[in-house]
Amino acid sequence: MNREFDKQIDAILRDLGQSGIDERQPLDGMHPEPDEFAAFSAAKMSKAAREAFILHLSDCSRCRKILAGQTLAVLENENELSPAAPSRSNGSLRRWMQIIPRPALALTAILLIFAGLFAVAILRNSEKTEVSSLKEFPEPASGLLTSEPVSSSPEESNTTATRSNTGLKQEAANSTRGVPLGQPKDITKAAAEKTEAAANSAPPQTPMLRSGAPSDSAARQSAEQVVRAESATRAAPAPPPDSRPKEDLAGQVSNSEQTADAALLKSAISKNKSRADKQVVENPRASNAAGSVNRFGGKIFELKKGIWTDSDYRTGEVLTLIKRESAGFRQLDLQLRATVEAIGTPIIVKWKDKAFRID
Amino acid sequence: MDITLDKFRSVIDETIERRFATAADRHSITLADVCDSVCAAIKKHFVNSKTPPEAAEIRHFIEELSADDLCLVIACRRGSESAWDELFRLFQPVVKAIAYRVASNIDAAEELAGSVWGELFGIRSDANDRATGKLAYYSGRGSLGSWLRAVTAQLAIDLHRENSRFVQFAEDRELESAAEISLTQQTIRPTNRNPEEAVLELRAASDVSSAVIAAIKLLEAKDRLILKLYYFDGLTLKEIGQVLDFHEATASRRLARIQAEIRSSTERILQSEFGWNDSEIRNYLAETAERIGPGLEKIVGGILISIIVQGLNLLSVQ
């Protein structure tokens, strides 16, 4: 028959046990000899002798101690010959766990809950660390995100040239090198601070996108790009007119036009976001297989030599070179600009039978 | 009962020769030496028997003896240096292990182990100028290792009692004094109840303690032994199982049964001897247990809540 421990009786008996009553021994002084203990341990006692021995033990604390010491020393000796006396605290804990199963279970549950909370906390912390490390990267050059002064004139930046694809990089480098290092930037200090604040408000571009290294998951890239583009849209109307570069101020769209433009851009991104997500879900293996492939707005971009290249683009096609910060960029189709914002620069996009290289 | 072994001589000799020849040869002793020791052991074993032993019983007794250990001890008693060396080499770790277990510290353990060997060797000599130590009392029942452990534990406890000048009381007195001690402890506990309630509570607790003690006395010897090993000597269920040679689960079941018996007997005694009714018994047992016990479930609940709160705080901070 299976009985549970009687807690009330258990508590009363424990109290009795702690009263020190086991420190006394019978007056008669007739204790079993060591021979009897050895025979009892070896189960070599007759039934009558065994009963007499147990009767004595049940009323003699001294002999109980001898028997316990004798038997338990054998077991300890089998495990290890330890000079240290056994710890009673461990025994007490084990006893506690044995006799009170419910608290023992509760304690186990507590430990599990605590371990779970700890694991969640660690995971959250690691995610935060990842995001904060990403924020430490410099913000990518973006006409929508920053008001960084463009050293070259609009004419230079908007140069539409018919060049071969191989000469593009050198050309772009030359156009940047054309600015003297010592030339003061055409921007006020306050404007620079505001620009920096606006840039910080936007989520950073992933290192993969900047460095051109393959990512681990195209789905994650797509999601990050969408978020980044949305943030860029939010950040776009932030800079005041006086903080923008002078050459940008001239002949550019008004603030209201920019706001409307940004709203349209946002809606275009949100439309494309669901489509991109759907594509990623539909073909996750394709995304994962090629870490340097990105999708947006039904287009597939491959990272070739550090440039996001539209899969529709064929080598040797005529390219139109556009600076991202330039007015020419802002005059491009909204969806094209959204694509550029989402994928990042440098990028080669095939758009309405024309190929654009945007840096 | 004085046992005459002459009529069993042939049985004894035949069994000893069959059982002890190899071991005696190994320790360079004669079968006559073995026969003396075995006969002494037989007499000692059957001295309390109500009926004279049968030949089969004597044969069985001899066959159960630890032949090698007994021959080693006989060789030691006969003063064999090599036997003493072997005894020391084989059993010094055993003696040390038990000494370390029962002694309070390392120095005391070393001292105890030394004392054990002194006791075993003996400081007195017999008529034949042989040392008469405790080793002479080993009869071969059970292993020599087990016997040495018992000797060491016995010596340790006796030394401890000598040192602490312990006053001996009868065991029956123990339980009664336990109730008194319990009562004394309760009286010194601070209470903010009114004196009448405090006195009633004290009286009730005393009645419950007395009834439980009486209930313990009503238990069978083996059940009482289990209960005392658990509650008075602080052994775990596993250790009790090892001491009494049964499984831990069996010990647990038996202890649960013993508790049920104690409860039943206690309730009966409280009703018959102290005039309590059912509801009084129920209430007072619960109150006594609650007062004595630490309220473990409340503690565990409190710990659980505090851990959850701490965990949520941690998450919200992050």
Side-chain angles (χ1 to χ4, degrees):
Chain A
M1 191 173 129
N2 196 12
R3 288 190 180 90
E4 285 191 358
F5 267 73
D6 188 329
K7 285 184 209 166
Q8 293 173 0
I9 296 296
D10 183 71
I12 293 166
L13 288 170
R14 274 177 201 285
D15 192 47
L16 280 178
Q18 287 169 1
S19 304
I21 61 169
D22 56 330
E23 294 297 327
R24 290 139 193 181
Q25 61 180 21
L27 272 174
D28 58 12
M30 292 294 289
H31 298 291
E33 291 180 5
D35 222 31
E36 305 288 322
F37 287 95
F40 180 80
S41 295
K44 287 180 179 174
M45 263 185 169
S46 64
K47 194 181 173 187
R50 187 179 170 84
E51 281 175 1
F53 185 74
I54 285 175
L55 181 63
H56 178 87
L57 284 176
S58 69
D59 291 327
C60 178
S61 62
R62 173 189 179 273
C63 292
R64 282 201 307 273
K65 278 189 168 59
I66 292 170
L67 180 70
Q70 174 203 13
T71 313
L72 300 177
V74 178
L75 299 163
E76 280 174 11
N77 203 29
E78 283 171 2
N79 296 327
E80 55 175 340
L81 187 60
S82 170
S87 167
R88 296 304 303 166
S89 59
N90 288 343
S92 304
L93 182 65
R94 271 186 287 137
R95 279 182 67 173
W96 188 78
M97 297 294 272
Q98 282 169 347
I99 62 157
I100 310 168
R102 271 191 292 173
L105 288 172
L107 190 61
T108 311
I110 288 167
L111 291 173
L112 286 173
I113 289 168
F114 191 68
L117 289 171
F118 191 66
V120 169
I122 285 177
L123 283 173
R124 285 196 167 195
N125 195 30
S126 67
E127 281 175 10
K128 274 200 153 190
T129 310
E130 193 180 337
V131 169
S132 59
S133 68
L134 288 173
K135 278 183 178 174
E136 286 168 9
F137 280 87
E139 201 61 30
S142 167
L144 288 171
L145 291 173
T146 66
S147 304
E148 190 178 322
V150 181
S151 55
S152 56
S153 66
E155 289 76 23
E156 281 174 343
S157 61
N158 287 337
T159 302
T160 304
T162 306
R163 299 175 183 119
S164 67
N165 195 22
T166 50
L168 282 173
K169 267 192 174 177
Q170 188 60 41
E171 190 106 16
N174 288 342
S175 67
T176 311
R177 267 189 245 114
V179 182
L181 288 171
Q183 186 179 334
K185 291 190 174 183
D186 193 8
I187 186 168
T188 62
K189 192 177 177 184
E193 285 172 0
K194 284 181 181 177
T195 304
E196 192 180 343
N200 285 338
S201 67
Q205 194 172 12
T206 60
M208 182 278 297
L209 292 174
R210 236 176 274 108
S211 64
S215 74
D216 55 345
S217 165
R220 189 176 165 187
Q221 283 175 14
S222 179
E224 284 174 355
Q225 286 157 6
V226 169
V227 171
R228 196 177 61 241
E230 284 177 345
S231 301
T233 310
R234 281 196 296 275
D242 60 345
S243 70
R244 284 184 288 156
K246 284 178 182 174
E247 55 267 41
D248 280 359
L249 290 172
Q252 295 302 317
V253 289
S254 65
N255 285 343
S256 58
E257 283 170 342
Q258 278 188 350
T259 310
D261 216 356
L264 284 169
L265 186 61
K266 189 177 179 182
S267 66
I269 287 169
S270 60
K271 275 181 191 173
N272 284 318
K273 179 186 172 186
S274 57
R275 208 184 303 164
D277 288 346
K278 195 178 174 186
Q279 284 172 350
V280 168
V281 171
E282 280 171 0
N283 192 6
R285 276 185 71 185
S287 301
N288 289 332
S292 57
V293 175
N294 219 332
R295 296 160 190 269
F296 192 83
K299 283 187 167 294
I300 299 170
F301 295 88
E302 288 177 46
L303 197 63
K304 292 177 178 175
K305 295 179 182 174
I307 301 167
W308 288 105
T309 309
D310 195 335
S311 59
D312 295 334
Y313 172 74
R314 297 288 171 264
T315 308
E317 279 187 65
V318 176
L319 279 168
T320 303
L321 183 63
I322 298 176
K323 290 281 181 189
R324 191 169 170 178
E325 305 86 355
S326 66
F329 177 72
R330 295 192 191 91
Q331 287 165 4
L332 293 174
D333 284 355
L334 192 62
Q335 285 192 344
L336 174 56
R337 282 154 55 198
T339 305
V340 172
E341 292 296 340
I343 299 296
T345 54
I347 188 170
I348 295 171
V349 193
K350 192 82 182 290
W351 195 262
K352 294 178 182 174
D353 298 324
K354 286 177 79 176
F356 296 89
R357 155 113 189 204
I358 298 160
D359 288 321
Chain B
M1 187 177 70
D2 191 21
I3 301 167
T4 310
L5 297 176
D6 289 341
K7 61 179 179 180
F8 303 116
R9 181 58 61 188
S10 61
V11 173
I12 291 169
D13 288 345
E14 180 264 325
T15 313
I16 285 174
E17 188 174 354
R18 181 161 45 81
R19 183 79 177 82
F20 285 82
T22 311
D25 197 40
R26 203 167 70 77
H27 293 288
S28 307
I29 55 172
T30 63
L31 284 177
D33 295 330
V34 175
C35 192
D36 289 344
S37 292
V38 169
C39 286
I42 291 168
K43 283 180 179 176
K44 193 171 149 187
H45 181 67
F46 290 103
V47 70
N48 291 326
S49 297
K50 290 171 184 170
T51 54
E54 300 287 328
E57 284 179 286
I58 288 176
R59 187 184 294 112
H60 179 73
F61 177 81
I62 297 169
E63 283 173 347
E64 288 285 299
L65 295 175
S66 301
D68 206 53
D69 286 348
L70 185 57
C71 288
L72 176 64
V73 167
I74 292 168
C76 287
R77 281 181 353 215
R78 293 187 65 78
S80 165
E81 289 289 329
S82 62
W84 273 107
D85 287 346
E86 187 178 349
L87 183 77
F88 192 79
R89 181 174 54 80
L90 288 175
F91 293 101
Q92 169 71 350
V94 174
V95 171
K96 274 202 166 185
I98 178 74
Y100 278 123
R101 189 180 197 283
V102 295
S104 55
N105 56 57
I106 291 174
D107 290 340
E110 293 288 348
E111 192 182 339
L112 176 62
S115 302
V116 169
W117 287 107
E119 288 281 330
L120 291 174
F121 186 77
I123 50 174
R124 288 188 296 267
S125 301
D126 62 5
N128 299 323
D129 202 26
R130 286 187 303 213
T132 54
K134 279 208 169 193
L135 209 55
Y137 295 96
Y138 176 66
S139 66
R141 294 167 67 204
S143 71
L144 183 56
S146 187
W147 182 84
L148 280 171
R149 287 184 198 101
V151 167
T152 311
Q154 204 174 41
L155 193 64
I157 289 166
D158 290 344
L159 282 174
H160 174 73
R161 287 174 187 241
E162 271 179 31
N163 291 340
S164 57
R165 296 176 183 179
F166 214 84
V167 182
Q168 298 180 354
F169 288 96
E171 185 81 1
D172 284 350
R173 175 69 187 138
E174 288 180 14
L175 295 170
E176 288 162 17
S177 65
E180 289 168 11
I181 290 164
S182 186
L183 202 63
T184 312
Q185 285 171 346
Q186 285 157 17
T187 50
I188 59 171
R189 281 176 189 162
T191 175
N192 49 10
R193 290 184 179 185
N194 70 54
E196 192 179 346
E197 275 185 1
V199 167
L200 284 173
E201 187 184 291
L202 214 60
R203 182 83 179 267
S206 170
D207 287 355
V208 169
S209 291
S210 301
V212 170
I213 289 163
I216 291 172
K217 288 180 188 171
L218 292 175
L219 290 172
E220 283 182 14
K222 190 164 189 177
D223 290 345
R224 197 160 61 244
L225 175 60
I226 292 171
L227 183 137
K228 287 189 176 180
L229 284 172
Y230 188 76
Y231 287 109
F232 296 176
D233 301 335
L235 269 66
T236 64
L237 291 172
K238 189 178 179 182
E239 287 169 343
I240 290 170
Q242 286 161 346
V243 167
L244 299 177
D245 197 23
F246 45 65
H247 194 267
E248 182 184 357
T250 309
S252 178
R253 278 198 304 276
R254 287 192 183 183
L255 195 62
R257 179 178 53 74
I258 291 164
Q259 284 178 341
E261 282 185 33
I262 292 281
R263 172 178 278 275
S264 168
S265 301
T266 302
E267 287 175 356
R268 197 174 58 249
I269 292 165
L270 283 172
Q271 279 179 333
S272 61
E273 294 186 19
F274 296 97
W276 289 32
N277 60 38
D278 285 342
S279 74
E280 282 175 337
I281 289 169
R282 204 166 42 248
N283 291 338
Y284 274 101
L285 277 183
E287 280 178 19
T288 308
E290 193 177 348
R291 194 182 62 250
I292 294 167
L296 288 169
E297 284 176 350
K298 287 177 188 170
I299 293 169
V300 169
I303 292 170
L304 180 65
I305 289 166
S306 66
I307 285 178
I308 289 171
V309 168
Q310 288 293 325
L312 290 173
N313 280 342
L314 190 69
L315 286 175
S316 64
V317 165
Q318 287 185 353

